[in-house]
Amino acid sequence: MVSPAAERGRAVRERLLNAAAELIPERSWAAVSTRILAERAGVTPSVVHYHFPSLQSLLNEAATSRMRQLLAGLYELLETTRTPAEAIETMLASADEYTGADATSLLFVEAYLASTRDDDLRERIAGVVAEFRQRFGAWLERHGVPAPFETAAVLAASLDGVLLHRGLGLKATAPSAVLLRLVSASPEEERQCEQ
């Protein structure tokens, strides 16, 4: 049983993480201060440092927690698909809500940029991406895709690229047709499988 004090502490921590995830895309990573964050979360600045060792660690956790949440939804969608082609279509369809200028896209872009200057954040994001690549690679392997883990890495990077380009106002025309080739066996591979 969780004590009321522990439950209140958990709720304050969640408010801080949510406030950070809102403020980063609104103001930019570097413009989020302890004071602004505390104000948005409805707490005093000292509470921020009570729950997190530093503002940077709070921002890092907020960004990577959102990444994990988004990917958890993607994993659920992936498990409902039956073929690699359907998986690609599903992933692209789920990415349609992200324009490149929406709050989630901006949060991720800000986090990627901040990770170039913060080893801890870089390791956290790399861990999230590596987990996605591993899980997607295992799914592709179960569905007979050649070089499944390498394919998962390229597909993940391609999806990131499509989203980054949207932020620039550039749209990929029919990306699924191109990405489907990555999970389709070539005529040579099909002949080898038949033998």
Side-chain angles (χ1 to χ4, degrees):
M1 184 167 175
V2 178
S3 73
E7 185 59 34
R8 280 191 305 275
R10 187 203 59 73
V12 167
R13 188 177 167 81
E14 281 302 309
R15 281 201 329 257
L16 288 167
L17 290 169
N18 288 332
E22 292 170 4
L23 286 166
I24 292 167
E26 285 175 21
R27 293 181 173 255
S28 85
W29 194 279
V32 177
S33 69
T34 300
R35 183 187 59 75
I36 292 168
L37 179 62
E39 188 177 289
R40 175 68 62 95
V43 299
T44 63
S46 63
V47 172
V48 173
H49 295 291
Y50 176 79
H51 287 282
F52 295 91
S54 68
L55 175 62
Q56 192 62 40
S57 67
L58 190 162
L59 297 177
N60 291 359
E61 187 169 332
T64 55
S65 292
R66 286 291 165 99
M67 289 176 179
R68 280 193 174 84
Q69 288 171 359
L70 186 135
L71 290 177
L74 192 54
Y75 297 143
E76 289 176 18
L77 284 174
L78 191 58
E79 290 305 320
T80 66
T81 61
R82 294 182 307 272
T83 66
E86 189 180 339
I88 288 173
E89 293 290 347
T90 299
M91 284 193 294
L92 286 170
S94 74
D96 280 346
E97 69 184 271
Y98 305 107
T99 64
D102 62 278
T104 299
S105 297
L106 293 175
L107 174 64
F108 288 15
V109 168
E110 287 283 341
Y112 272 56
L113 180 60
S115 76
T116 64
R117 295 176 194 85
D118 181 329
D119 292 339
D120 176 61
L121 181 58
R122 183 173 41 256
E123 288 175 20
R124 285 173 175 243
I125 292 174
V128 171
V129 173
E131 180 184 345
F132 172 73
R133 287 165 47 162
Q134 179 64 32
R135 288 180 75 169
F136 188 36
W139 187 93
L140 291 172
E141 185 175 52
R142 287 193 307 273
H143 289 81
V145 173
F149 297 97
E150 295 84 350
T151 303
V154 170
L155 285 168
S158 298
L159 192 54
D160 271 356
V162 166
L163 294 173
L164 284 172
H165 285 205
R166 284 183 186 169
L168 300 172
L170 302 172
K171 303 243 188 263
T173 306
S176 61
V178 175
L179 295 177
L180 287 172
R181 289 185 218 137
L182 295 174
V183 296
S184 301
S186 69
E188 177 62 29
E189 289 170 329
E190 287 177 2
R191 280 193 296 275
Q192 288 175 354
C193 289
E194 290 171 0
Q195 295 175 356

